[in-house]
Amino acid sequence: MSKIEPYITSIPDFPERGVIFRDITTVIGNADGLQLSVDEMAALLEGETFDVVAGLESRGFLFGMPIAYKLHKPFIPIRKAGKLPRATAGMSYELEYGTASIEVHRDDIQPGMRVVLIDDLIATGGTLEAAAKLLESLGATVVKIVCLLELKGLHGRDRLQSYPLATVVSYDGK
């Protein structure tokens, strides 16, 4: 068991019956929990050679920024479409009911750049896959994906099998 697990609140039957929602606000709302989560995620990057940390809106920002700070690396936000002011590159991806798009500033990503991708959760893997493909379309290499939580029952890891992937806590269900 990870030291961070006691800080995660499990809420049964949310957002629908049969689902256990894993609430990270109780992690970040506690000074010890926040520090442990950042430290444990950063430890998963020991020995990695990379240039920047990229985080997915919005919860990837919560962990990506302090990890970048701790490891003295720049941070690049990957945002929902229409939120960034400079020239962007984007990627659309399928959701259960529809599509979504994410964007990054074009000039933030340089060819050959080695990127670590951070988010709070691996569920189906769709958003992380789109982010990795977006970065690669601009010439970057995603050297590792790190998340605090993984919901194994949603099989997101299967979608991301071409990327080195690490999580702090894994739950068998959805």
Side-chain angles (χ1 to χ4, degrees), residues 1 3 7 16 18 48 64 69 84 86 94 102 110 127 140 144 149 156 173:
M1 181 165 136
K3 292 178 191 176
Y7 294 95
E16 60 187 45
E48 284 297 332
Y69 176 83
L84 294 171
R86 300 189 319 267
E94 296 293 321
I102 53 175
Q110 304 302 314
T127 308
K144 195 163 194 177
L149 306 177

Side-chain angles (χ1 to χ4, degrees), residues 143-154:
V143 297
K144 195 163 194 177
I145 297 172
V146 175
C147 296
L148 183 64
L149 306 177
E150 177 180 8
L151 303 177
K152 289 182 183 179
L154 295 174

Side-chain angles (χ1 to χ4, degrees), residues 118-154:
I118 304 286
D119 206 358
D120 69 320
L121 171 72
I122 299 171
T124 64
T127 308
L128 283 163
E129 179 185 43
K133 287 182 177 181
L134 172 58
L135 294 167
E136 291 170 340
S137 75
L138 295 170
T141 300
V142 176
V143 297
K144 195 163 194 177
I145 297 172
V146 175
C147 296
L148 183 64
L149 306 177
E150 177 180 8
L151 303 177
K152 289 182 183 179
L154 295 174

Side-chain angles (χ1 to χ4, degrees), residues 84-138:
L84 294 171
R86 300 189 319 267
T88 61
M91 181 74 59
S92 294
Y93 59 101
E94 296 293 321
L95 298 170
E96 188 175 354
Y97 301 105
T99 61
S101 296
I102 53 175
E103 294 178 332
V104 67
H105 281 130
R106 283 187 177 277
D107 60 355
D108 282 351
I109 306 299
Q110 304 302 314
M113 185 177 271
R114 297 174 57 81
V115 181
V116 167
L117 190 54
I118 304 286
D119 206 358
D120 69 320
L121 171 72
I122 299 171
T124 64
T127 308
L128 283 163
E129 179 185 43
K133 287 182 177 181
L134 172 58
L135 294 167
E136 291 170 340
S137 75
L138 295 170

